[in-house]
Every structure is written in structure tokens, then in C-alpha cells.
Amino acid sequence: GVLKKKYLYPILGKEANFVKHFEKIIIMGSEKKVFEVKNTNLIANMISLTCALKILRKWNIKNITDEELIEETINFVLNGILARVC
């Protein structure tokens, strides 16, 4: 079923704070020219979704440890946002 509004809004608020946490880190990294990101909110949402990958895709992600998933997720995200140095 659908969550009642009195439960839904607190959950959505926590999720929004989770995304804002990533966005703050991305903004700080962008200001220091460590990250190269055009839309910090979009990227923060993408990272948040990536963090939930095992929960959302557990039937398709098998034989991988939590440590492997964390390492690969970090590599995936950093390869996408690190500034390119020529």
C-alpha cells in the first residue's frame, strides 16, 4: 500500500537531506576545482540512487560483497565527477 502522509513526509524529508549532504560535498569540490559538475543537484540525486543500488537490484546483483559494492560505487562516482586535468 501507499504510505500515509504523516509517515511519507518525514521519510521524504530525510531522503532530501541525504541528497543535500551529497550536493554540499559536490559544491565544495567544484569550488575547489576537484570536481567538474554542471548540475550539482542532479548529480547528488544520481549518487543517492547509486547508493541504494543493492537494495533496488538485489535479485540481479549476486555474488558481490558489500565491500566490493562500496569500492566499485566509489570508483564509478569519482570517475564521473573528478575534474579532468590535462
Coordinates of all heavy atoms in Angstrom, one line a residue:
G1 N 0.8 -1.2 0.0 CA 0.0 0.0 0.0 C 0.8 1.3 0.0 O 2.1 1.2 0.0
V2 N 0.2 2.3 0.0 CA 0.8 3.7 0.0 C 1.0 4.1 1.4 O 0.1 3.9 2.2 CB -0.1 4.6 -0.8 CG1 0.5 6.0 -0.8 CG2 -0.3 4.1 -2.3
L3 N 2.1 4.8 1.7 CA 2.3 5.3 3.0 C 1.4 6.5 3.2 O 1.1 7.3 2.3 CB 3.7 5.9 3.1 CG 4.8 4.8 3.3 CD1 6.2 5.5 3.2 CD2 4.7 4.1 4.6
K4 N 0.9 6.6 4.5 CA 0.1 7.8 4.8 C 1.0 9.0 4.9 O 2.2 8.9 5.1 CB -0.6 7.5 6.2 CG -1.6 6.4 6.2 CD -2.2 6.2 7.5 CE -3.2 5.1 7.4 NZ -3.9 4.9 8.7
K5 N 0.4 10.1 4.6 CA 1.1 11.4 4.5 C 1.9 11.7 5.8 O 3.0 12.2 5.7 CB 0.2 12.6 4.2 CG -0.3 12.6 2.8 CD -1.1 13.8 2.5 CE -1.6 13.7 1.1 NZ -2.5 14.9 0.7
K6 N 1.4 11.3 7.0 CA 2.1 11.6 8.2 C 3.4 10.8 8.3 O 4.3 11.1 9.0 CB 1.2 11.4 9.4 CG 0.9 10.0 9.8 CD 0.1 9.9 11.1 CE 0.0 8.5 11.6 NZ -0.8 8.4 12.9
Y7 N 3.5 9.7 7.6 CA 4.7 8.9 7.5 C 5.6 9.2 6.3 O 6.8 9.2 6.3 CB 4.4 7.4 7.5 CG 3.6 6.9 8.7 CD1 2.3 6.4 8.5 CD2 4.2 7.0 10.0 CE1 1.6 6.0 9.7 CE2 3.5 6.5 11.1 CZ 2.2 6.0 10.9 OH 1.5 5.6 12.0
L8 N 4.9 9.5 5.2 CA 5.6 9.8 4.0 C 6.5 11.1 4.0 O 7.6 11.0 3.6 CB 4.6 10.0 2.8 CG 5.1 10.3 1.4 CD1 6.1 9.2 0.9 CD2 4.0 10.5 0.4
Y9 N 5.9 12.1 4.5 CA 6.7 13.4 4.6 C 8.0 13.4 5.4 O 9.0 13.9 4.9 CB 5.8 14.6 5.0 CG 4.7 14.9 3.9 CD1 3.4 15.1 4.3 CD2 5.0 15.0 2.6 CE1 2.4 15.3 3.3 CE2 4.1 15.3 1.6 CZ 2.8 15.4 2.0 OH 1.8 15.7 1.1
P10 N 8.0 12.7 6.5 CA 9.2 12.6 7.3 C 10.3 11.8 6.5 O 11.5 12.1 6.5 CB 8.9 11.9 8.6 CG 7.4 12.3 8.8 CD 6.8 12.3 7.4
I11 N 9.8 10.7 5.8 CA 10.8 9.9 5.1 C 11.3 10.7 3.9 O 12.5 10.7 3.6 CB 10.1 8.6 4.6 CG1 9.8 7.7 5.8 CG2 10.9 7.9 3.5 CD1 8.9 6.5 5.5
L12 N 10.4 11.4 3.2 CA 10.9 12.3 2.1 C 11.8 13.3 2.5 O 12.8 13.7 1.8 CB 9.7 12.9 1.3 CG 8.8 11.9 0.6 CD1 7.6 12.6 -0.1 CD2 9.6 11.1 -0.5
G13 N 11.6 13.9 3.7 CA 12.5 14.9 4.3 C 13.9 14.3 4.6 O 14.9 15.0 4.3
K14 N 13.9 13.2 5.1 CA 15.2 12.5 5.4 C 15.9 12.2 4.1 O 17.2 12.4 4.0 CB 15.0 11.2 6.2 CG 14.6 11.5 7.6 CD 14.5 10.2 8.4 CE 13.9 10.4 9.8 NZ 14.9 10.8 10.7
E15 N 15.2 11.8 3.1 CA 15.8 11.5 1.8 C 16.4 12.8 1.2 O 17.5 12.8 0.6 CB 14.8 10.8 0.9 CG 15.4 10.1 -0.3 CD 15.7 11.0 -1.5 OE1 15.0 12.0 -1.6 OE2 16.5 10.6 -2.4
A16 N 15.6 13.8 1.3 CA 16.1 15.1 0.7 C 17.3 15.6 1.4 O 18.2 16.1 0.8 CB 14.9 16.2 0.8
N17 N 17.4 15.4 2.7 CA 18.6 15.8 3.5 C 19.8 14.9 3.1 O 20.9 15.4 3.0 CB 18.4 15.7 5.0 CG 17.5 16.8 5.5 OD1 17.4 17.9 5.0 ND2 16.8 16.5 6.6
F18 N 19.6 13.7 2.8 CA 20.6 12.8 2.3 C 21.2 13.3 1.0 O 22.4 13.4 0.8 CB 20.0 11.4 2.1 CG 21.0 10.3 1.8 CD1 21.9 9.9 2.7 CD2 20.9 9.6 0.6 CE1 22.8 8.9 2.4 CE2 21.8 8.6 0.3 CZ 22.8 8.2 1.2
V19 N 20.3 13.7 0.1 CA 20.7 14.2 -1.2 C 21.5 15.6 -1.0 O 22.5 15.8 -1.6 CB 19.5 14.4 -2.2 CG1 19.9 15.1 -3.4 CG2 18.9 13.0 -2.5
K20 N 20.9 16.4 -0.1 CA 21.6 17.7 0.1 C 23.0 17.5 0.7 O 23.9 18.3 0.4 CB 20.8 18.5 1.1 CG 19.5 19.2 0.5 CD 18.8 20.0 1.5 CE 17.4 20.4 0.9 NZ 16.6 21.1 1.9
H21 N 23.2 16.5 1.5 CA 24.5 16.2 2.0 C 25.5 16.0 0.9 O 26.6 16.5 0.8 CB 24.5 15.0 2.9 CG 25.8 14.6 3.5 ND1 26.5 15.3 4.5 CD2 26.6 13.5 3.2 CE1 27.6 14.6 4.7 NE2 27.7 13.6 4.0
F22 N 25.1 15.1 -0.1 CA 26.0 14.9 -1.3 C 26.2 16.2 -2.1 O 27.3 16.5 -2.6 CB 25.4 13.8 -2.1 CG 25.6 12.4 -1.6 CD1 24.5 11.7 -1.2 CD2 26.9 11.9 -1.5 CE1 24.7 10.4 -0.7 CE2 27.0 10.6 -1.0 CZ 25.9 9.8 -0.6
E23 N 25.1 16.9 -2.2 CA 25.2 18.2 -3.0 C 26.2 19.1 -2.4 O 27.0 19.8 -3.1 CB 23.8 18.8 -3.2 CG 23.9 20.0 -4.2 CD 22.5 20.5 -4.6 OE1 21.5 20.2 -3.9 OE2 22.4 21.2 -5.6
K24 N 26.2 19.3 -1.1 CA 27.1 20.2 -0.4 C 28.6 19.7 -0.7 O 29.4 20.6 -0.9 CB 26.9 20.2 1.1 CG 25.6 21.0 1.5 CD 25.4 20.9 3.0 CE 24.1 21.6 3.4 NZ 23.8 21.5 4.8
I25 N 28.8 18.4 -0.6 CA 30.2 17.9 -0.9 C 30.6 18.2 -2.3 O 31.7 18.7 -2.6 CB 30.2 16.4 -0.6 CG1 30.0 16.1 0.9 CG2 31.5 15.8 -1.1 CD1 29.8 14.7 1.2
I26 N 29.6 18.0 -3.3 CA 29.9 18.3 -4.7 C 30.2 19.7 -4.9 O 31.1 20.1 -5.7 CB 28.7 17.8 -5.6 CG1 28.6 16.2 -5.4 CG2 28.9 18.2 -7.0 CD1 27.3 15.7 -6.0
I27 N 29.4 20.6 -4.3 CA 29.6 22.1 -4.5 C 31.0 22.5 -4.0 O 31.7 23.2 -4.6 CB 28.5 22.8 -3.8 CG1 27.2 22.7 -4.6 CG2 28.8 24.3 -3.6 CD1 25.9 23.2 -3.8
M28 N 31.3 22.0 -2.8 CA 32.7 22.3 -2.2 C 33.8 21.8 -3.1 O 34.7 22.5 -3.4 CB 32.8 21.6 -0.8 CG 32.0 22.3 0.2 SD 32.1 21.6 1.9 CE 33.2 20.3 1.9
G29 N 33.6 20.6 -3.7 CA 34.6 20.0 -4.6 C 34.7 20.8 -5.9 O 35.8 21.0 -6.4
S30 N 33.5 21.2 -6.3 CA 33.5 22.0 -7.6 C 34.2 23.4 -7.4 O 34.9 23.9 -8.3 CB 32.1 22.2 -8.1 OG 31.5 21.0 -8.4
E31 N 33.9 24.0 -6.3 CA 34.5 25.3 -6.0 C 36.0 25.2 -5.9 O 36.8 26.2 -6.2 CB 34.0 25.9 -4.7 CG 32.5 26.3 -4.8 CD 31.9 26.7 -3.5 OE1 32.5 26.5 -2.4 OE2 30.8 27.3 -3.5
K32 N 36.5 24.1 -5.4 CA 38.0 23.9 -5.3 C 38.6 23.3 -6.6 O 39.7 22.9 -6.6 CB 38.3 23.0 -4.1 CG 37.9 23.6 -2.8 CD 38.2 22.7 -1.6 CE 37.9 23.5 -0.4 NZ 38.2 22.7 0.8
K33 N 37.7 23.1 -7.6 CA 38.1 22.6 -8.9 C 38.6 21.1 -8.9 O 39.3 20.6 -9.7 CB 39.3 23.4 -9.6 CG 38.9 24.9 -9.7 CD 37.9 25.2 -10.7 CE 37.7 26.7 -10.9 NZ 36.4 27.1 -11.0
V34 N 38.1 20.4 -7.8 CA 38.4 19.0 -7.7 C 37.4 18.2 -8.5 O 37.7 17.2 -9.2 CB 38.3 18.5 -6.2 CG1 38.5 17.0 -6.1 CG2 39.4 19.2 -5.4
F35 N 36.1 18.7 -8.5 CA 35.0 18.0 -9.3 C 34.6 18.9 -10.4 O 34.7 20.2 -10.3 CB 33.8 17.8 -8.4 CG 34.0 16.9 -7.2 CD1 33.3 17.1 -6.1 CD2 34.9 15.9 -7.2 CE1 33.5 16.3 -4.9 CE2 35.1 15.0 -6.1 CZ 34.4 15.3 -5.0
E36 N 34.2 18.3 -11.5 CA 33.7 19.1 -12.7 C 32.3 18.6 -12.9 O 32.0 17.6 -13.5 CB 34.6 18.7 -13.9 CG 34.4 19.6 -15.1 CD 35.4 19.2 -16.2 OE1 36.6 19.3 -15.9 OE2 34.9 18.9 -17.3
V37 N 31.4 19.4 -12.4 CA 29.9 19.1 -12.4 C 29.1 20.3 -12.8 O 29.4 21.4 -12.3 CB 29.5 18.6 -11.0 CG1 28.0 18.4 -10.9 CG2 30.2 17.4 -10.6
K38 N 28.2 20.1 -13.7 CA 27.4 21.2 -14.2 C 26.1 21.4 -13.3 O 25.7 22.5 -13.0 CB 27.0 21.1 -15.7 CG 28.2 21.2 -16.6 CD 27.7 21.0 -18.0 CE 29.0 21.1 -18.9 NZ 28.7 20.7 -20.3
N39 N 25.5 20.3 -13.0 CA 24.2 20.3 -12.3 C 24.4 19.5 -11.0 O 24.3 18.3 -10.9 CB 23.1 19.7 -13.1 CG 21.7 19.9 -12.4 OD1 21.6 19.9 -11.2 ND2 20.7 20.0 -13.3
T40 N 24.7 20.2 -9.9 CA 25.1 19.6 -8.6 C 23.9 18.8 -8.0 O 24.1 17.7 -7.5 CB 25.6 20.6 -7.6 OG1 24.6 21.6 -7.4 CG2 26.9 21.2 -8.1
N41 N 22.7 19.3 -8.2 CA 21.5 18.6 -7.6 C 21.2 17.3 -8.4 O 21.0 16.3 -7.7 CB 20.3 19.6 -7.7 CG 19.1 18.9 -7.1 OD1 18.2 18.3 -7.8 ND2 19.0 18.9 -5.7
L42 N 21.4 17.3 -9.7 CA 21.1 16.1 -10.4 C 22.2 15.1 -10.1 O 21.8 13.9 -9.8 CB 21.2 16.4 -11.9 CG 21.1 15.2 -12.9 CD1 19.8 14.5 -12.7 CD2 21.3 15.6 -14.3
I43 N 23.4 15.5 -10.0 CA 24.5 14.5 -9.7 C 24.3 14.0 -8.3 O 24.5 12.8 -8.0 CB 25.9 15.1 -9.9 CG1 26.1 15.6 -11.4 CG2 27.0 14.2 -9.4 CD1 25.9 14.4 -12.4
A44 N 23.9 14.8 -7.3 CA 23.7 14.4 -6.0 C 22.6 13.4 -5.9 O 22.6 12.4 -5.2 CB 23.3 15.6 -5.1
N45 N 21.5 13.6 -6.7 CA 20.4 12.6 -6.8 C 20.9 11.3 -7.4 O 20.5 10.2 -7.0 CB 19.2 13.2 -7.5 CG 18.3 14.0 -6.7 OD1 17.5 13.4 -5.9 ND2 18.5 15.3 -6.7
M46 N 21.7 11.4 -8.4 CA 22.3 10.2 -9.0 C 23.1 9.4 -8.1 O 23.1 8.1 -8.0 CB 23.0 10.6 -10.3 CG 22.1 11.1 -11.4 SD 23.0 11.8 -12.8 CE 23.6 10.3 -13.6
I47 N 23.9 10.1 -7.3 CA 24.8 9.4 -6.3 C 23.9 8.7 -5.3 O 24.1 7.6 -4.9 CB 25.8 10.4 -5.7 CG1 26.8 10.8 -6.7 CG2 26.5 9.7 -4.5 CD1 27.7 11.9 -6.3
S48 N 22.9 9.4 -4.8 CA 22.0 8.9 -3.8 C 21.3 7.6 -4.3 O 21.2 6.6 -3.6 CB 20.9 9.9 -3.5 OG 19.9 9.4 -2.6
L49 N 20.9 7.6 -5.6 CA 20.3 6.5 -6.2 C 21.3 5.3 -6.3 O 21.0 4.2 -6.0 CB 19.7 6.8 -7.5 CG 19.0 5.7 -8.3 CD1 17.8 5.2 -7.4 CD2 18.5 6.2 -9.6
T50 N 22.5 5.6 -6.7 CA 23.5 4.6 -6.8 C 23.8 4.0 -5.4 O 24.1 2.8 -5.4 CB 24.8 5.3 -7.4 OG1 24.5 5.9 -8.6 CG2 25.9 4.2 -7.5
C51 N 23.7 4.7 -4.4 CA 24.0 4.2 -3.0 C 22.9 3.1 -2.7 O 23.1 2.3 -1.8 CB 24.0 5.3 -2.0 SG 25.5 6.3 -2.1
A52 N 21.7 3.2 -3.3 CA 20.6 2.3 -3.0 C 20.6 1.1 -4.0 O 19.7 0.3 -4.0 CB 19.3 3.0 -3.0
L53 N 21.6 1.0 -4.8 CA 21.6 0.0 -5.9 C 21.4 -1.4 -5.4 O 20.6 -2.1 -5.9 CB 23.0 0.1 -6.6 CG 23.1 -0.8 -7.9 CD1 22.1 -0.4 -8.9 CD2 24.5 -0.7 -8.4
K54 N 22.1 -1.8 -4.3 CA 21.9 -3.2 -3.9 C 20.5 -3.5 -3.4 O 20.0 -4.6 -3.6 CB 23.0 -3.5 -2.8 CG 23.0 -5.0 -2.4 CD 24.2 -5.3 -1.6 CE 24.3 -6.8 -1.4 NZ 25.5 -7.2 -0.7
I55 N 19.9 -2.5 -2.7 CA 18.6 -2.7 -2.3 C 17.6 -2.8 -3.4 O 16.7 -3.6 -3.4 CB 18.2 -1.5 -1.3 CG1 19.0 -1.5 -0.1 CG2 16.7 -1.6 -1.0 CD1 18.9 -0.3 0.7
L56 N 17.8 -1.9 -4.4 CA 16.9 -1.9 -5.6 C 17.1 -3.0 -6.6 O 16.2 -3.3 -7.3 CB 17.0 -0.5 -6.3 CG 16.6 0.7 -5.4 CD1 17.0 2.0 -6.1 CD2 15.1 0.7 -5.1
R57 N 18.3 -3.6 -6.6 CA 18.6 -4.5 -7.6 C 19.2 -5.8 -7.1 O 19.9 -6.6 -7.7 CB 19.6 -3.9 -8.6 CG 19.2 -2.7 -9.3 CD 18.2 -2.9 -10.4 NE 18.9 -3.7 -11.4 CZ 18.3 -4.2 -12.5 NH1 17.1 -3.9 -12.7 NH2 18.9 -4.9 -13.3
K58 N 18.8 -6.2 -5.8 CA 19.4 -7.3 -5.2 C 19.2 -8.6 -5.9 O 20.1 -9.5 -5.8 CB 18.9 -7.4 -3.7 CG 17.5 -7.7 -3.6 CD 17.1 -7.7 -2.1 CE 15.6 -7.8 -2.0 NZ 15.2 -7.7 -0.6
W59 N 18.1 -8.8 -6.7 CA 17.9 -10.0 -7.4 C 18.9 -10.2 -8.6 O 19.1 -11.2 -9.1 CB 16.5 -10.1 -7.9 CG 16.2 -9.1 -9.0 CD1 16.4 -9.2 -10.3 CD2 15.8 -7.7 -8.8 NE1 16.1 -8.1 -11.0 CE2 15.7 -7.1 -10.1 CE3 15.4 -7.0 -7.7 CZ2 15.3 -5.8 -10.3 CZ3 15.0 -5.7 -7.9 CH2 14.9 -5.1 -9.2
N60 N 19.5 -9.1 -9.0 CA 20.4 -9.1 -10.2 C 21.8 -8.9 -9.8 O 22.7 -9.0 -10.6 CB 19.9 -8.0 -11.2 CG 20.3 -8.4 -12.6 OD1 20.6 -9.5 -12.9 ND2 20.3 -7.4 -13.4
I61 N 22.1 -8.5 -8.6 CA 23.5 -8.3 -8.1 C 23.8 -9.4 -7.1 O 23.4 -9.3 -5.9 CB 23.7 -6.9 -7.4 CG1 23.4 -5.8 -8.4 CG2 25.1 -6.8 -6.9 CD1 23.4 -4.4 -7.8
K62 N 24.4 -10.4 -7.6 CA 24.7 -11.6 -6.7 C 26.2 -11.8 -6.7 O 26.9 -11.3 -7.5 CB 24.0 -12.8 -7.3 CG 22.5 -12.7 -7.3 CD 21.8 -13.9 -8.0 CE 20.3 -13.6 -8.1 NZ 19.6 -14.6 -8.9
N63 N 26.6 -12.5 -5.7 CA 28.0 -12.9 -5.5 C 28.9 -11.7 -5.4 O 30.0 -11.7 -6.0 CB 28.4 -13.9 -6.6 CG 27.6 -15.1 -6.7 OD1 27.2 -15.7 -5.6 ND2 27.3 -15.6 -7.8
I64 N 28.5 -10.6 -4.8 CA 29.3 -9.5 -4.6 C 29.2 -9.1 -3.1 O 28.1 -9.1 -2.6 CB 28.9 -8.3 -5.5 CG1 29.9 -7.2 -5.4 CG2 27.5 -7.8 -5.3 CD1 29.8 -6.1 -6.4
T65 N 30.4 -8.9 -2.5 CA 30.3 -8.5 -1.1 C 30.0 -7.0 -1.0 O 30.1 -6.2 -2.0 CB 31.7 -8.7 -0.5 OG1 32.7 -7.8 -1.1 CG2 32.2 -10.2 -0.6
D66 N 29.6 -6.6 0.2 CA 29.3 -5.2 0.5 C 30.6 -4.4 0.2 O 30.5 -3.3 -0.3 CB 28.8 -5.0 1.9 CG 27.4 -5.5 2.1 OD1 26.7 -5.8 1.1 OD2 27.0 -5.7 3.3
E67 N 31.7 -4.9 0.6 CA 33.0 -4.1 0.4 C 33.3 -3.9 -1.1 O 33.7 -2.8 -1.5 CB 34.2 -4.9 1.0 CG 34.1 -4.9 2.5 CD 33.1 -5.9 3.1 OE1 32.7 -6.9 2.4 OE2 32.7 -5.7 4.3
E68 N 33.0 -4.9 -1.9 CA 33.2 -4.8 -3.4 C 32.2 -3.8 -4.0 O 32.6 -2.9 -4.8 CB 33.0 -6.1 -4.1 CG 34.1 -7.2 -3.9 CD 33.7 -8.5 -4.4 OE1 32.6 -9.0 -4.1 OE2 34.5 -9.0 -5.3
L69 N 31.0 -3.8 -3.5 CA 30.0 -2.9 -4.0 C 30.4 -1.4 -3.6 O 30.3 -0.5 -4.5 CB 28.6 -3.2 -3.4 CG 27.5 -2.3 -3.9 CD1 27.3 -2.4 -5.4 CD2 26.2 -2.7 -3.2
I70 N 30.8 -1.2 -2.4 CA 31.2 0.1 -2.0 C 32.4 0.6 -2.8 O 32.4 1.7 -3.3 CB 31.6 0.1 -0.5 CG1 30.3 -0.1 0.4 CG2 32.3 1.4 0.0 CD1 30.5 -0.5 1.8
E71 N 33.4 -0.3 -3.0 CA 34.6 0.1 -3.7 C 34.3 0.5 -5.2 O 34.7 1.5 -5.7 CB 35.7 -1.0 -3.7 CG 36.9 -0.6 -4.4 CD 38.0 -1.7 -4.4 OE1 37.9 -2.6 -3.5 OE2 38.9 -1.7 -5.2
E72 N 33.4 -0.3 -5.8 CA 33.1 -0.1 -7.2 C 32.2 1.1 -7.3 O 32.3 1.9 -8.3 CB 32.4 -1.3 -7.8 CG 33.3 -2.5 -8.0 CD 34.5 -2.2 -8.9 OE1 34.3 -1.4 -9.9 OE2 35.6 -2.8 -8.7
T73 N 31.3 1.4 -6.4 CA 30.5 2.5 -6.4 C 31.3 3.8 -6.2 O 31.1 4.8 -7.0 CB 29.4 2.5 -5.2 OG1 28.6 1.3 -5.4 CG2 28.5 3.7 -5.2
I74 N 32.3 3.8 -5.3 CA 33.2 5.0 -5.2 C 33.9 5.2 -6.5 O 34.0 6.4 -6.9 CB 34.1 4.8 -4.0 CG1 33.3 4.8 -2.7 CG2 35.2 5.8 -4.0 CD1 34.1 4.4 -1.5
N75 N 34.5 4.2 -7.1 CA 35.2 4.4 -8.3 C 34.3 4.9 -9.4 O 34.7 5.8 -10.2 CB 35.8 3.0 -8.8 CG 37.0 2.6 -7.9 OD1 37.6 3.4 -7.2 ND2 37.2 1.3 -7.8
F76 N 33.1 4.4 -9.5 CA 32.1 4.8 -10.5 C 31.8 6.3 -10.4 O 31.8 7.0 -11.3 CB 30.9 3.9 -10.4 CG 29.8 4.3 -11.3 CD1 29.8 4.0 -12.7 CD2 28.7 5.0 -10.9 CE1 28.8 4.4 -13.5 CE2 27.6 5.4 -11.7 CZ 27.7 5.1 -13.0
V77 N 31.5 6.7 -9.2 CA 31.1 8.1 -8.9 C 32.3 9.0 -9.2 O 32.2 10.0 -9.9 CB 30.6 8.2 -7.5 CG1 30.4 9.7 -7.1 CG2 29.2 7.5 -7.3
L78 N 33.4 8.7 -8.6 CA 34.6 9.6 -8.8 C 35.0 9.7 -10.2 O 35.4 10.8 -10.7 CB 35.8 9.1 -7.9 CG 35.6 9.3 -6.4 CD1 36.8 8.8 -5.6 CD2 35.3 10.8 -6.1
N79 N 35.0 8.6 -11.0 CA 35.3 8.7 -12.4 C 34.4 9.6 -13.2 O 34.7 10.1 -14.2 CB 35.3 7.3 -13.0 CG 36.6 6.5 -12.7 OD1 37.7 7.1 -12.6 ND2 36.5 5.2 -12.5
G80 N 33.2 9.7 -12.6 CA 32.2 10.6 -13.3 C 32.3 12.0 -13.0 O 31.9 12.9 -13.7
I81 N 32.8 12.4 -11.8 CA 32.8 13.8 -11.3 C 34.1 14.4 -11.2 O 34.2 15.7 -11.0 CB 32.0 14.0 -10.1 CG1 32.6 13.3 -8.9 CG2 30.5 13.5 -10.3 CD1 31.9 13.6 -7.5
L82 N 35.2 13.7 -11.1 CA 36.5 14.3 -10.9 C 36.9 15.2 -12.1 O 36.6 14.9 -13.3 CB 37.6 13.2 -10.8 CG 37.7 12.5 -9.4 CD1 38.7 11.4 -9.4 CD2 38.0 13.5 -8.3
A83 N 37.5 16.3 -11.8 CA 37.9 17.2 -12.9 C 39.0 16.6 -13.7 O 39.8 15.9 -13.2 CB 38.4 18.5 -12.2
R84 N 38.9 16.9 -15.0 CA 39.9 16.3 -15.9 C 41.1 17.3 -15.9 O 41.0 18.5 -16.1 CB 39.4 16.2 -17.3 CG 38.1 15.4 -17.4 CD 38.3 14.0 -17.0 NE 37.0 13.2 -17.2 CZ 36.3 12.8 -16.2 NH1 36.6 13.1 -15.0 NH2 35.2 12.1 -16.4
V85 N 42.3 16.7 -15.6 CA 43.5 17.6 -15.7 C 44.3 17.2 -16.9 O 44.6 16.0 -17.1 CB 44.3 17.3 -14.4 CG1 45.6 18.1 -14.4 CG2 43.5 17.6 -13.1
C86 N 44.5 18.2 -17.7 CA 45.3 17.9 -19.0 C 46.7 18.3 -18.8 O 47.1 19.2 -18.2 CB 44.6 18.7 -20.1 SG 43.0 18.2 -20.4

